[in-house]
Amino acid sequence: MPIWDKKHECISRDILDQLQLERLQATLNRVYKNVAFYKKRFDALGFFPEEDLENLSDIQKLPFTTRKDLSDSYPYEMFAVPLREVVRVHSSSGTTEKPSVVGYTRLDLKIWSELVARVLSAAGVTTDDVIQVTFHYGLLTGGLGIHYGAERIGASVLPTSVGRTDRQIRIMQDYRTTVLVSTPSYALVIADRLEEMSVDIKRLNLKYAICAGEPWSEETRKEIEDRLYVRATDNYGLSEVMGPGIAGECLEQSGMHINEDHFLAEIINPDTGEVLPPGETGELVLTTLTKEAFPVIRFRTGDLCYIIEEPCPCGRTFRRISRIQGRCDDIVIIKGTNIIPERIGDIIAEIEGIRPVYQLVATRHNHHDELEIWVEVSEDLFFDKMREQRALVDTMERRIANFIGMTPRVKLVEPGSIKRVNGKVQLFVDMRPKK
Ligand code: DLL
């Protein structure tokens, strides 16, 4: 498989170290000058980027940046350029009280599509492909991020966005899709529906499935490959750091190459913050090395994985991250949507006036993930007031859907009916089968 950017993707380690150091220096200078949040932090430590960064490991002198820091800077406080230089804004949803808002200069967008082009090429995409992008097009980064990367390669892009599976399938058949980009669970939803519709899947033109946005497993990879007759690869990104294009698997299918000329990756022990050596599992921490509008320094992703240093047979020299093995914070991922159960409680409390006992339950029926939210309500409402109950369910579903970007199924239940363990309710129960 041809390598998209040989000069960088096959760079030698010492030249890469030097490049990372220079870019880190420039990034730290930029945030020190332009972002009050970082200036305050660096000053408090007596850290002056021009003097105190000699080696890459000096980054360990700096504190981590968290999602809460980004949310507290809502909307534009952490931007490192004036708004007039920002040509695109995206944001995350559903986790912190305020979303993290991220901006891109024209150069950021150019680099973003270049990096997505790299990871898509590594996964097999060429100018000859017809690529169907089933990620959300909008404020979230998935759809547009993949889109421009695929265009950069010169593939024919079908921006079908999320949902409407029958329509996706019709387009897949008629427009001769060769690459499906989706969450792994949605790839299986498509496989189920294709089988229900008795489509001869072998006669489709599909060659590759590029999966991202949620944790999955080797078993799921095998299932996607066997049922859709494709090679399936893993792809990683997150909005706060850029979106898709941070790391992606090549066709060796053994870990995701990190675009290390643009991102510095560390793995830390999530409890102590200690930096861990390659091979040890911990929380991925990312620093951007070239972003202009929204650089982040030592951002704690919450994602658990390890770094693979061994050379990859594909020829790329960038180190890889393993599959994401889960999260070390309270974020749960359902249908590729990130949710903090505590925040759902805040929304219900706003509606109800008090914070009732509630529980989020993730279920899966035929590969369809669903979010149910059980809420305990007073006995008189539960037994007597059907119409009020219906109105309350509607309001909750609407308000929560507005916040997280997917519609849950709210179930009002009798007081005391949600199971307590040692008197406590577990805020999230995952009933999806583990694979
Ligand atoms: O999911 C961006 C994206 C879209 C990346 C399409 C790649 C392709 P967010 O909505 O900000 O962005 O969610 C990011 O999703 O911190 C992980 O917890 C999870 N995640 C993303 N990719 C993977 C993956 C996009 N391959 C959050 N495996 C991240 C496991 C993933 N989890």
Side-chain angles (χ1 to χ4, degrees), residues 65-86:
T65 305
T66 62
R67 264 193 186 84
K68 169 130 190 358
D69 294 327
L70 305 195
S71 159
D72 290 346
S73 310
Y74 180 85
Y76 298 137
E77 291 297 301
M78 276 213 191
F79 281 25
V81 296
L83 213 48
R84 67 172 180 281
E85 289 176 33
V86 171

Side-chain angles (χ1 to χ4, degrees), residues 10-77:
C10 302
I11 198 168
S12 75
R13 201 75 228 168
D14 36 330
I15 297 177
L16 178 64
D17 283 351
Q18 186 55 34
L19 183 68
Q20 284 190 322
L21 185 63
E22 282 164 17
R23 289 181 165 179
L24 180 61
Q25 181 78 63
T27 299
L28 294 184
N29 290 346
R30 186 179 310 127
V31 297
Y32 187 68
K33 251 191 247 138
N34 300 330
V35 186
F37 169 85
Y38 289 112
K39 173 156 177 28
K40 206 163 132 204
R41 287 187 143 192
F42 293 6
D43 282 345
L45 282 168
F47 181 94
F48 298 105
E50 301 222 339
E51 290 161 25
D52 295 319
L53 185 83
E54 287 178 355
N55 301 303
L56 282 172
S57 60
D58 288 334
I59 197 175
Q60 292 175 23
K61 296 179 190 162
L62 295 173
F64 299 114
T65 305
T66 62
R67 264 193 186 84
K68 169 130 190 358
D69 294 327
L70 305 195
S71 159
D72 290 346
S73 310
Y74 180 85
Y76 298 137
E77 291 297 301

Side-chain angles (χ1 to χ4, degrees), residues 413-432:
V413 295
E414 264 183 273
S417 54
I418 297 178
K419 189 173 159 210
R420 272 79 166 163
V421 180
N422 299 329
K424 279 177 102 182
V425 167
Q426 220 181 314
L427 284 189
F428 176 64
V429 178
D430 201 346
M431 310 274 278
R432 295 171 292 185

Side-chain angles (χ1 to χ4, degrees), residues 126 137 162 235 278 352 374 388:
T126 70
Y137 276 68
V162 288
N235 226 277
E352 283 269 77
W374 296 24
E388 272 180 44

Side-chain angles (χ1 to χ4, degrees), residues 250-265:
C250 60
L251 291 171
E252 296 293 328
Q253 298 174 305
S254 57
M256 300 179 270
H257 290 281
I258 312 159
N259 277 318
E260 287 190 283
D261 49 344
H262 295 269
F263 304 99
L264 188 69

Side-chain angles (χ1 to χ4, degrees), residues 348 352 356-361 372-384 386 389-390 392-393 396 409-420 425:
I348 301 173
E352 283 269 77
V357 173
Y358 70 98
Q359 184 172 63
L360 274 64
V361 183
E372 284 183 6
I373 302 175
W374 296 24
V375 185
E376 288 189 2
V377 289
S378 63
E379 276 191 19
D380 64 327
L381 181 69
F382 187 76
F383 289 112
D384 302 332
M386 288 306 280
Q389 270 191 41
R390 196 56 253 160
L392 187 59
V393 165
M396 285 183 184
R409 208 156 70 83
V410 170
K411 256 174 82 176
L412 303 182
V413 295
E414 264 183 273
S417 54
I418 297 178
K419 189 173 159 210
R420 272 79 166 163
V425 167

